[in-house]
Amino acid sequence: KPGQTFSLSRTWHLPLLMVRGTYTLLLQFHRIHPEVAKARDAHPYEYYSNVINSQFYRPAGDVMSCYTLHEEVLASRQINILRDFRDAIIAFLIAASSSRAIGSHFPVWSRGILPQISGFLFIGILVGPYCANLVSQMHITIIGGMINKVSLAFIAGAAGAEIFLPELQGLLKPMALQVLLICTATVTFCATGIFFLESSQLLSVTSVSMQPNLMAKASISLLMGALMTARSPASAIAIIAELKCGDTKAGSMAIGITVLSDIAVLVLFALCSQLVRATSSGEDLGPYVLLGVFFELGISILMGYATGQLMRLALPPRLEADCQYDMCTKKGEEKAHRPQKSQIGSVLLGFLLIFILYAVFCVAEGCSDWTGGKLCLEPLLVCTVAACVCGHDELRREGLLEALAAWTPLVLLPFFTLAGASLQLSSLSQVLPAALCLVVLRALGVAAGSAGAGALSRLFLPQSHTSKETVQYTWLTLLAQAGVTLGLVLEVQHTFKGAWTQPFATLIISVVVINQLIGPVCCRLGLQKILAAEEQEEEDIEMGSCSPSSPSSDGS
């Protein structure tokens, strides 16, 4: 009857010899018109469900509610498991090969606007479940988790290796100021905007409207704002590698801000999660809870430090002759005559480092299940700290960077192809207004925070030599959003059991989809603008140093 509530639970009965694959059940509740119900001698409310062709048949009456249930049916016999795994690998290898062949031409076809990873994403969408279905949903379920874990562990390690304090002495304060103001502005804009628009009924945000009280709605809005501070190290690393600007000030700033922002989002997410838990379930948000959050972060850092020492043992130190060569080589001088290390050796070392990062990623991720949720570590933070610690050993830093660089294209290609194939295009259409609003609010927050930090750096940190182009275009390099946010969304669904988690995840994933499509393009454009300004500044300095000195006024 109208006004009555009901609970819906699902159980699946699998008959023998059922075909493996993805099954979707559409469950609809209809209200039949009184005259039709009287003629049928039926109840005025009935439900309809059908697995096949459910979208082509609708019973008479008004649809009161609709539910879509998805389930994967996988093999149980070992021989069938191996066959499915074989099919998934072959399909994904074909997709990745096509993505590599076509995606590499995107910068040329777009006249330098679209980066390669936009091509990888586009091909991934074409071969994914919503288009050609070469890489089906079952294939993503079988091998997607492993690819994502390996890629996220590698990306976090590669981002951490880029942080080398001796080279960033003049950039640490501007980067810290950028991260502080961008995170503050992003959380403020996104949380306040979503809360105000939903409260004034100008925008429908299901996960917020489902909360029982005002404080719970505010906490969910803050959690959304915290997730919006995450970046995409994979996109930044790929664009910087494509433009070959890793040793420039613009490249160092972009990757530094991205990595520090992902560290900041882990802290913000932990704090906001405790706030959501306190407001939605009535748990106490006391000092011991906050101490527990910082304790877990501290354990993650210590675990990363220990892993970094293990990575140091895996990497051989440079020879004394190489060290003396570097000391005698002037800054900026070409090092073409240095003896080149074996590419095979770098690949083997990279494989060993990836194995270490992947292993510690799985251990940190599994701590929550092993301890019954009492100890939740941050695997991304562990891998970032590990590579950063290893990279600060000057005798092993070059070997670390060479080993990771040898594997960068091999890891980023399948990661972005899988990201394109995994995009939930159907979910995007359902929450498009709220997702677009959140994307705009995030972009405004990033732009305001970055421009404000750049202006303050020009005013109070003149030694940083912050140019006008850096103030104007740095925010464009920070719009991409990917793996970290998706991982935290999965953690929300795993931690909180409320009904609001599903629409919350759908909205955040839709925002990530949009940002991942426009972010790499904006990052490339922003870096090109800043790099052009840096090159012009260097040319002006060279011309000034080469110009003859003007005669003095006294004629001497």
Side-chain angles (χ1 to χ4, degrees):
K1 296 181 180 180
Q4 288 184 337
T5 60
F6 67 92
S7 61
L8 181 66
S9 60
R10 64 177 183 179
T11 57
W12 298 85
H13 172 69
L14 301 181
L16 294 176
L17 303 178
M18 187 172 185
V19 178
R20 305 185 296 277
T22 304
Y23 287 82
T24 301
L25 173 66
L26 180 67
L27 181 62
Q28 294 180 345
F29 288 86
H30 290 256
R31 181 175 60 187
I32 305 176
H33 296 296
E35 56 273 12
V36 177
K38 186 176 181 180
R40 292 183 182 178
D41 193 20
H43 195 275
Y45 294 91
E46 70 175 15
Y47 75 91
Y48 164 75
S49 66
N50 188 17
V51 177
I52 303 175
N53 293 333
S54 58
Q55 66 270 32
F56 301 115
Y57 173 74
R58 297 288 184 273
D62 300 326
V63 178
M64 302 300 296
S65 60
C66 181
Y67 303 90
T68 303
L69 307 178
H70 300 277
E71 196 67 32
E72 298 284 341
V73 178
L74 302 179
S76 57
R77 296 175 59 188
Q78 190 64 34
I79 183 64
N80 290 332
I81 293 175
L82 294 177
R83 288 172 178 171
D84 291 344
F85 195 76
R86 176 204 61 191
D87 294 343
I89 291 178
I90 293 175
F92 194 76
L93 286 177
I94 296 173
S97 301
S98 304
S99 182
R100 176 68 180 89
I102 300 176
S104 60
H105 296 288
F106 264 59
V108 179
W109 294 342
S110 63
R111 296 184 179 181
I113 296 177
L114 296 177
Q116 290 186 15
I117 59 175
S118 295
F120 300 160
L121 286 170
F122 179 72
I123 299 302
I125 293 174
L126 291 182
V127 302
Y130 293 95
C131 292
N133 200 35
L134 172 64
V135 179
S136 66
Q137 188 62 48
M138 188 178 74
H139 295 157
I140 295 175
T141 301
I142 293 174
I143 64 173
M146 183 181 64
I147 293 177
N148 277 329
K149 287 182 180 181
V150 173
S151 301
L152 289 175
F154 174 84
I155 291 166
E162 295 293 335
I163 300 179
F164 188 52
L165 296 182
E167 293 181 355
L168 300 177
Q169 287 298 329
L171 300 178
L172 283 179
K173 291 182 179 179
M175 285 194 302
L177 189 60
Q178 286 273 350
V179 173
L180 176 62
L181 292 188
I182 289 175
C183 289
T184 302
T186 302
V187 173
T188 302
F189 276 59
C190 294
T192 305
I194 289 296
F195 181 77
F196 171 77
L197 292 173
E198 201 283 329
S199 299
S200 58
Q201 297 182 352
L202 296 175
L203 186 70
S204 175
V205 185
T206 306
S207 57
V208 177
S209 61
M210 293 175 67
Q211 302 307 311
N213 52 62
L214 197 64
M215 286 299 297
K217 293 182 178 181
S219 64
I220 297 297
S221 301
L222 282 173
L223 185 60
M224 286 186 183
L227 290 177
M228 292 301 103
T229 61
R231 312 281 169 232
S232 175
S235 299
I237 292 172
I239 300 299
I240 290 172
E242 182 179 335
L243 296 178
K244 299 179 180 179
C245 60
D247 56 346
T248 62
K249 179 181 176 182
S252 299
M253 282 288 292
I255 192 64
I257 296 172
T258 299
V259 175
L260 293 178
S261 296
D262 278 352
I263 294 176
V265 73
L266 297 177
V267 179
L268 291 173
F269 175 78
L271 295 175
C272 291
S273 296
Q274 293 296 336
L275 180 61
V276 170
R277 188 175 290 107
T279 56
S280 61
S281 60
E283 295 184 13
D284 185 25
L285 186 65
Y288 293 104
V289 175
L290 298 179
L291 287 176
V293 171
F294 288 104
F295 174 77
E296 292 173 349
L297 294 175
I299 295 296
S300 300
I301 293 174
L302 290 177
M303 188 175 181
Y305 180 82
T307 306
Q309 300 301 324
L310 180 61
M311 293 173 65
R312 288 181 64 244
L313 295 177
L315 284 170
R318 284 191 299 173
L319 298 177
E320 185 178 354
D322 290 340
C323 299
Q324 292 177 355
Y325 182 87
D326 286 344
M327 294 175 63
C328 297
T329 303
K330 296 180 180 179
K331 183 178 181 180
E333 184 179 338
E334 295 292 336
K335 299 181 180 181
H337 299 290
R338 169 184 291 184
Q340 297 294 324
K341 295 182 179 179
S342 172
Q343 183 69 19
I344 298 178
S346 297
V347 171
L348 293 177
L349 283 176
F351 179 81
L352 179 59
L353 295 178
I354 292 175
F355 177 79
I356 294 174
L357 291 172
Y358 173 70
V360 73
F361 186 97
C362 294
V363 171
E365 188 180 47
C367 278
S368 177
D369 295 332
W370 299 337
T371 60
K374 295 180 180 179
L375 181 62
C376 301
L377 302 182
E378 298 293 344
L380 294 173
L381 181 60
V382 172
C383 294
T384 301
V385 172
C388 184
V389 170
C390 181
H392 276 76
D393 186 341
E394 296 186 1
L395 296 179
R396 292 173 172 84
R397 176 169 178 79
E398 184 180 355
L400 173 66
L401 295 178
E402 289 178 353
L404 294 179
W407 281 87
T408 297
L410 300 177
V411 174
L412 295 183
L413 172 63
F415 176 74
F416 282 106
T417 304
L418 178 65
S422 303
L423 293 182
Q424 301 289 332
L425 299 182
S426 59
S427 300
L428 177 60
S429 61
Q430 299 172 4
V431 295
L432 188 59
L436 288 176
C437 181
L438 200 51
V439 167
V440 172
L441 290 172
R442 179 178 182 267
L444 291 176
V446 173
S450 178
L456 291 177
S457 297
R458 284 174 60 88
L459 185 61
F460 296 106
L461 299 172
Q463 68 275 12
S464 64
H465 304 290
T466 303
S467 63
K468 292 182 180 179
E469 287 75 13
T470 301
V471 177
Q472 295 174 355
Y473 300 113
T474 297
W475 69 277
L476 288 174
T477 67
L478 306 173
L479 294 181
Q481 198 176 15
V484 175
T485 311
L486 297 178
L488 295 179
V489 167
L490 294 177
E491 188 171 337
V492 168
Q493 292 182 295
H494 180 73
T495 304
F496 301 98
K497 304 303 180 183
W500 61 270
T501 58
Q502 184 58 45
F504 179 89
T506 302
L507 175 59
I508 300 300
I509 292 174
S510 301
V511 173
V512 172
V513 169
I514 299 174
N515 285 329
Q516 193 57 24
L517 292 176
I518 66 175
V521 180
C522 294
C523 181
R524 184 185 178 92
L525 292 175
L527 281 175
Q528 287 176 336
K529 293 287 187 180
I530 300 174
L531 289 172
E534 288 184 2
E535 292 177 0
Q536 184 63 41
E537 182 180 358
E538 291 178 358
E539 291 179 1
D540 293 341
I541 293 175
E542 291 178 359
M543 292 294 295
S545 61
C546 295
S547 61
S549 58
S550 58
S552 58
S553 58
D554 58 1
S556 58

